[in-house]
Amino acid sequence: MADTQRSWEKRLSSKPDELTVDYVESLSYDKRLYKYDIMGSIAHAAMLAAQGFITQAEFAAIEKGLLGIRDDIEAGRFEFDKAAEDIHMAVEGALIKRIGEPGEKLHTARSRNDQVATDIRLWMRDQIAALQTAIVRVQKALVSLAARHVDDLMPAYTHMQRAQPIVIGAYLLSFVQQLERDVVRLGNCRDLLNVSPLGGGAIAGSTLPIDRAATASALGFTDIVYNSIDAVSDRDFCAEFIFDCALIAAHLSRLAEDWILFSSSEFSFIRIDDAFCTSSSMMPQKRNPDVLELMRGKTGTIYGALMAMLTILKAQPSGYNRDLQEDKIHVFSAADCIGKSLEIAAAVVSHTAFRTKDIAAGLDAGFLDATALAEYLVRKGVPFRKAHGVVGSLVAKCEKEGRSLSQLSLAQFQERSPAIGQDVYEYLGAGNVVKRYVSAGAAGPEQVRRHLAFWEGHLAGNEPQRR
Ligand code: ARG
C-alpha cells in the first residue's frame, strides 16, 4: 500500500494494526459504488476547474484517469486492497498513482463524508428505477394471468373461512394494486433523497468558494442539501428505502403464503410449474413450493435490515460518525434480496395455472351466497339486521341437513321469511352472486374487465421512473 493511499497516516505515529485494517474497511462491500464514486469525482473536478482551483488540463487528466480506473474495474483488472479502507480512497489512491499531482488536487474542499453520502444517493436513484421496473414486471405477469380468469370463480376468504364468491381476476388484481403503491412509494423516496450533499465537506462546508449548485446539477440532483451538517449525517433516506423494500417483501410474502396453501392437495387451486418447484430427498412424490417459501422467508432478512438501519441511526451524535459506514451493508442486503424476490415472483406468476374446474366443483361448500341472500331480502324491503338473522338461521338449518341454500324449497324459505319469492333462486349460487356485484371496485367480472383495461394501459411502456 503506497503512502499516498492513506494520507491521514502522517498524523498517526504507527501504522494501523492488522485488526484495525480489517475492522474498519468497507471496501469489500462498498466497491460496488465505484461507478457513482467516479461520477461524483468527475463532477467535483469539473467544478474545481470552473472555479479556478485546477486548470482545464488538470481536469482533463483527472477525468481521463478516473475513466481509466472505471474501465479497469469493469474489466476486472483493478486490484482492490482493503488497506485503502473504502472505495473512495481506493479510487483516489489509484488516480494519484496514475496521474500524479493533478490527482492530489481532487479532494480539494471535499471529505469522504460528503462523498459517501453522494455516492449512496446516486446508487439508490438507479436502484429505485431498477426495482420499479422489476415491480412492473410482476404486475404485468399478474395482469396477464388475471386476463385469463375474468369469469372464473373462486371463494374469497376472511379469517381463512369461506366468505363470498369472487372472480379469480379480482383476486390477482388486488396484488397489482398493492404493488402499485410500492412503485409510488419508491418514487416518493427518490424525490426526497435526490438532493446533493456534495460540498458539505467533513461537516462545516469549506472556506474555498466551491459551487455546490454546479455539482448538484451535473449529477442530476434537483437541489443541494442546504445544511452541511445534515448533508453529511442524514441517512433517513436509507431507512426509508429499506422500509419500502420491506413493504414490497410483505406484499410478496402474502402472495407466497396464499399460493403455498393454494398449491396444497387440500386446496388444489393452482399448479405451479415444475421449473419453480423442488422435490424431497426422501419422499419421492413431493412437489414442494420452496421458491414461494423462500420468498416468504426472505421477508425476515429485509425486516432485519430495516431494524438494523434504524438502530444505527438511533442516538448518533450530530455530524458524521463511522457508525454510518454500516448503512451500506443493510441497504445493499435489502435491495439485493427484494430484487431477487421480485425477479422470481414474476417468473412464478407467469408459470402458474389456476385449476378452475377443481375450484368450481367446490364452490357449493361454505355458503358463499349467504350475504347475497341477505341483500336479496333488503331488496324486498327487509331491514338488513333482520335479513342477516333470517339467513343465519337458514344457514344453520342447511348445515345440519348437509345441503346448500339453493337446495332449500320455496316453502322452507318462506317459513323463515314471507318476503322470499320464487326469484330467490336467481340470486343463489356463486355464479349468480358474482354476476350481480355492482358496487365500484367489487370482485365481479364487470369490474375486473374495466380494471384490466386500466392496468394494461397504465403498465404499458414500463418507464422506470413512473410515479
Ligand atoms: N467508508 C466510509 C463510510 O462508508 C466513508 C466515510 C469515512 N469518513 C471518515 N471520516 N472516516 O461511511
Side-chain angles (χ1 to χ4, degrees):
M1 168 65 34
D3 265 5
T4 47
Q5 290 207 17
R6 264 198 318 236
S7 51
W8 51 256
E9 270 179 8
K10 302 263 190 303
R11 167 70 180 79
L12 305 175
S13 55
S14 67
K15 289 216 171 294
D17 191 280
E18 261 315 298
L19 284 172
T20 304
V21 172
D22 272 344
Y23 199 66
V24 302
E25 74 86 26
S26 55
L27 185 60
S28 51
Y29 53 92
D30 69 14
K31 60 183 175 200
R32 67 193 280 178
L33 293 175
Y34 76 90
K35 211 170 60 178
Y36 305 101
D37 196 72
I38 287 170
M39 197 189 286
S41 286
I42 291 174
H44 182 69
M47 180 278 291
L48 291 178
Q51 298 299 103
F53 296 113
I54 60 175
T55 65
Q56 279 305 327
E58 285 170 327
F59 168 67
I62 289 172
E63 183 178 42
K64 187 160 172 259
L66 288 171
L67 293 176
I69 291 167
R70 190 189 66 189
D71 292 346
D72 281 0
I73 293 174
E74 275 161 11
R77 284 192 301 261
F78 190 88
E79 208 202 311
F80 289 102
D81 180 352
K82 69 181 175 194
E85 275 199 23
D86 54 29
I87 187 63
H88 324 297
M89 295 220 283
V91 170
E92 190 193 348
L95 180 71
I96 292 168
K97 223 192 232 169
R98 253 171 225 227
I99 67 167
E101 198 177 272
E104 291 186 291
K105 295 187 177 180
L106 174 61
H107 213 52
T108 306
R110 188 177 72 167
S111 157
R112 281 183 292 158
N113 299 355
D114 58 341
Q115 199 178 350
V116 69
T118 305
D119 290 6
I120 312 174
R121 286 172 196 255
L122 293 173
W123 170 85
M124 200 172 281
R125 247 171 31 184
D126 279 1
Q127 192 60 41
I128 284 174
L131 288 177
Q132 286 177 318
T133 302
I135 295 172
V136 170
R137 270 189 210 119
V138 181
Q139 288 180 302
K140 284 182 171 174
L142 286 162
V143 164
S144 73
L145 189 55
R148 293 204 283 281
H149 300 294
V150 177
D151 296 299
D152 298 321
L153 308 186
M154 68 182 276
Y157 296 81
T158 65
H159 314 272
M160 271 319 281
Q161 307 295 315
R162 289 192 165 217
Q164 291 179 284
I166 57 172
V167 296
I168 294 172
Y171 163 75
L172 293 167
L173 291 185
S174 75
F175 288 100
V176 177
Q177 190 164 297
Q178 294 170 55
L179 291 167
E180 183 64 17
R181 288 194 297 278
D182 294 327
V183 172
V184 173
R185 232 185 311 273
L186 282 169
N188 292 342
C189 178
R190 178 189 189 279
D191 286 352
L192 215 48
L193 73 83
N194 196 28
V195 280
S196 176
L198 193 57
I203 183 163
S206 172
T207 59
L208 297 170
I210 52 171
D211 183 351
R212 290 190 60 198
T215 47
S217 96
L219 294 169
F221 288 116
T222 54
D223 207 340
I224 63 167
V225 178
Y226 279 96
N227 182 296
S228 67
I229 306 163
D230 185 42
V232 295
S233 39
D234 172 31
R235 295 293 186 277
D236 301 2
F237 64 93
C238 294
E240 191 175 349
F241 172 77
I242 303 175
F243 174 75
D244 292 355
C245 294
L247 271 189
I248 302 167
H251 291 152
L252 292 184
S253 79
R254 297 186 73 175
L255 178 81
E257 171 72 3
D258 277 0
W259 287 23
I260 290 164
L261 283 173
F262 288 178
S263 66
S264 67
S265 314
E266 284 71 14
F267 271 83
S268 190
F269 280 10
I270 58 170
R271 184 182 168 86
I272 303 162
D273 193 281
D274 277 354
F276 298 95
C277 291
T278 59
S279 193
S280 157
S281 58
M282 183 166 174
M283 299 169 284
Q285 85 285 12
K286 292 301 288 289
R287 279 177 88 255
N288 291 333
D290 291 40
V291 167
L292 294 171
E293 290 167 79
L294 279 165
M295 200 182 290
R296 193 175 54 182
K298 282 176 191 288
T299 307
T301 304
I302 300 176
Y303 286 11
L306 178 60
M307 205 39 66
M309 189 66 235
L310 289 169
T311 310
I312 289 165
L313 294 181
K314 180 184 176 294
Q316 254 196 63
S318 281
Y320 177 87
N321 303 277
R322 196 63 175 263
D323 314 37
L324 290 176
Q325 178 165 289
E326 294 283 301
D327 61 356
K328 286 169 285 301
I329 294 177
H330 307 292
V331 161
F332 292 159
S333 153
D336 293 346
C337 197
I338 202 62
K340 281 186 200 140
S341 288
L342 284 166
E343 189 182 6
I344 201 150
V348 172
V349 172
S350 312
H351 292 84
T352 293
F354 273 78
R355 298 175 183 274
T356 52
K357 285 205 187 81
D358 288 0
I359 300 172
L363 285 172
D364 278 343
F367 306 101
L368 293 166
D369 46 4
T371 308
L373 176 56
E375 289 180 348
Y376 164 86
L377 283 166
V378 168
R379 285 173 186 270
K380 302 285 177 184
V382 181
F384 180 75
R385 273 289 155 243
K386 284 216 174 66
H388 189 276
V390 169
V391 179
S393 79
L394 286 166
V395 166
K397 176 182 166 66
C398 286
E399 196 175 48
K400 226 179 277 161
E401 297 169 3
R403 49 176 147 177
S404 63
L405 287 167
S406 57
Q407 288 167 333
L408 292 172
S409 68
L410 186 56
Q412 286 170 317
F413 275 122
Q414 288 179 339
E415 222 172 82
R416 307 288 163 122
S417 171
I420 299 177
Q422 183 61 42
D423 61 344
V424 71
Y425 297 102
E426 293 157 34
Y427 289 78
L428 295 173
N432 283 331
V433 174
V434 155
K435 267 185 263 159
R436 289 185 189 277
Y437 286 139
V438 288
S439 56
E446 282 324 305
Q447 292 86 347
V448 168
R449 245 180 275 283
R450 235 175 303 125
H451 291 170
L452 273 174
F454 166 78
W455 286 117
E456 279 159 4
H458 187 66
L459 299 172
N462 194 7
E463 325 102 77
Q465 270 147 35
R466 194 170 52 84
R467 286 298 313 274

